[in-house]
C-alpha cells in the first residue's frame, strides 16, 4: 500500500476588504480635527466659528474633549461639519485612554457615509513628541490612504515675531518623519489676556490666525469627499492537505490560522509599534 499527499493554502480576510471611494457631495463637507491633548483642537474650532464658547477648551493637563463632537461652522458662505476629537496621546489614567481615543477616531472616520473632505492635524510647538509622526501616519497614511488632504495647524506661536518663520526654521524636523502636509497654518489659538482698556493682547495675531485657517479650509477641502474604507487588520489562512491511500478514497485535512494582514504590518512598520501592541490595537480596531 502507498500513500500520496498534497497540500495548499488560501486566505480569507477577517474583514471585507474595501477600496476607498469618492462620494458625490450632497451635504455639508466633513472636516475632522485630530491631534494630541492640549494641541488646541477645540480652540481652533472656536476661532474659525468666531464663537469662543462653541467647543469646550481648557488649560488642564488632562484632555477636555472626551468623545467625537460635531459642530456646524459657517465660513464665507459655506457650512462645514467640523468634528472635535479626543486627544490621541493620553495615558491610561487620562480623560480618554489612548487606545480608546484611537478607536473612537477610526470609528468616526468609517461612519461618515458622506465622506471626509479634510483632515486638520493639530500640533503645539515647539517640540515634536514621539507620538506625533506615529499618529500622523496611522490616520493619514494607513486609514485614509493619503486620499484626504491634511492641513498641519501649528499652535502656540504667539511669541513669534512672524509666526510663519517658525515653519521655515523647523520644517526639516517634520520632513525627517516624512510629514508633508498639503497646507500649513502657523497660528495662535488664544487671544491672550484681556486689556484694561478693552480687547485682548493678541487680538491682531488671533485675527491673522483665523484668516489663515479659513484660507487653508477653503483651499484644501475636497469638492468630492472620500469615503474611508475598512482596513484589513488580520486575515485567516486555511491550510488544506489531501491524503490518498492506495485503493481508498482521498482524505481531506483542513486547519485555519489567523495571521497579520497589511493593517497590522503597517502599524509595526510605519507606526513603530511592537508586534504585540500592533495586534492588540488591530483587534480593537477590527471590532469597529
Amino acid at each position: 500500500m502507498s500513500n500520496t499527499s498534497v497540500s495548499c493554502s488560501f486566505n480569507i480576510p477577517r474583514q471585507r476588504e474595501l477600496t476607498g471611494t469618492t462620494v458625490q457631495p450632497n451635504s455639508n463637507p466633513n472636516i475632522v480635527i485630530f491631534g494630541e491633548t492640549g494641541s488646541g483642537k477645540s480652540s481652533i474650532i472656536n476661532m474659525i466659528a468666531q464663537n469662543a464658547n462653541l467647543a469646550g477648551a481648557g488649560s488642564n493637563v488632562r484632555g477636555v474633549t472626551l468623545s467625537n463632537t460635531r459642530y456646524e461652522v459657517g465660513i464665507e458662505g459655506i457650512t462645514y461639519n467640523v468634528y472635535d476629537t479626543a486627544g490621541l496621546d493620553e495615558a491610561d489614567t487620562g480623560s480618554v485612554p489612548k487606545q480608546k481615543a484611537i478607536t473612537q477616531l477610526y470609528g468616526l472616520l468609517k461612519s461618515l457615509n458622506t465622506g471626509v473632505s479634510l483632515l486638520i492635524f493639530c500640533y503645539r510647538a515647539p517640540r515634536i513628541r514621539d507620538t506625533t509622526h506615529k499618529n500622523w501616519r496611522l490616520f493619514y497614511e494607513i486609514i485614509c490612504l493619503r486620499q484626504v488632504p491634511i492641513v498641519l495647524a501649528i499652535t502656540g506661536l504667539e511669541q513669534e515675531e512672524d509666526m510663519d518663520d517658525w515653519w521655515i526654521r523647523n520644517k526639516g524636523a517634520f520632513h525627517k518623519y516624512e510629514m508633508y502636509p498639503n497646507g500649513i497654518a502657523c497660528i495662535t489659538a488664544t487671544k491672550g489676556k484681556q486689556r484694561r482698556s478693552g480687547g485682548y493682547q493678541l487680538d491682531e495675531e488671533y485675527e491673522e490666525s483665523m484668516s489663515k485657517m479659513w484660507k487653508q479650509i477653503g483651499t484644501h477641502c475636497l469638492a468630492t469627499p472620500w469615503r474611508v474604507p475598512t482596513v484589513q487588520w488580520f486575515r485567516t489562512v486555511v491550510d488544506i492537505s489531501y491524503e490518498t491511500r492506495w485503493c481508498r478514497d482521498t482524505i481531506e485535512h483542513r486547519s485555519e490560522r489567523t495571521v497579520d494582514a497589511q493593517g497590522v504590518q503597517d502599524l509595526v512598520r510605519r507606526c513603530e509599534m511592537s508586534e504585540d501592541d500592533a495586534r492588540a490595537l488591530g483587534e480593537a480596531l477590527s471590532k469597529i
Side-chain angles (χ1 to χ4, degrees), residues 30-153:
N30 294 316
I31 299 174
V32 177
I33 299 183
F34 71 108
E36 298 159 0
T37 302
S39 59
K41 300 183 298 297
S42 300
S43 297
I44 286 176
I45 292 174
N46 292 339
M47 178 173 66
I48 63 176
Q50 297 181 289
N51 183 344
N53 301 312
L54 181 62
S59 58
N60 296 330
V61 174
R62 298 180 69 181
V64 174
T65 304
L66 305 181
S67 60
N68 305 317
T69 307
R70 181 179 67 88
Y71 300 97
E72 288 192 359
V73 177
I75 301 175
E76 299 180 327
I78 301 175
T79 300
Y80 299 88
N81 293 325
V82 181
Y83 290 86
D84 197 3
T85 59
L88 293 174
D89 63 337
E90 289 269 24
D92 289 340
T93 56
S95 299
V96 181
K98 181 177 180 178
Q99 188 179 98
K100 182 178 179 181
I102 291 174
T103 55
Q104 283 182 175
L105 180 50
Y106 178 55
L108 168 65
L109 291 168
K110 280 188 58 182
S111 72
L112 294 175
N113 294 327
T114 54
V116 183
S117 294
L118 183 66
L119 298 173
I120 297 177
F121 184 80
C122 292
Y123 160 80
R124 184 171 182 82
R127 185 172 64 89
I128 297 180
R129 302 180 60 173
D130 181 59
T131 56
T132 302
H133 69 285
K134 298 174 184 178
N135 290 330
W136 174 284
R137 291 174 180 177
L138 172 59
F139 287 98
Y140 176 56
E141 296 183 14
I142 298 175
I143 293 174
C144 290
L145 302 175
R146 301 176 185 261
Q147 297 300 311
V148 180
I150 187 167
V151 168
L152 176 61

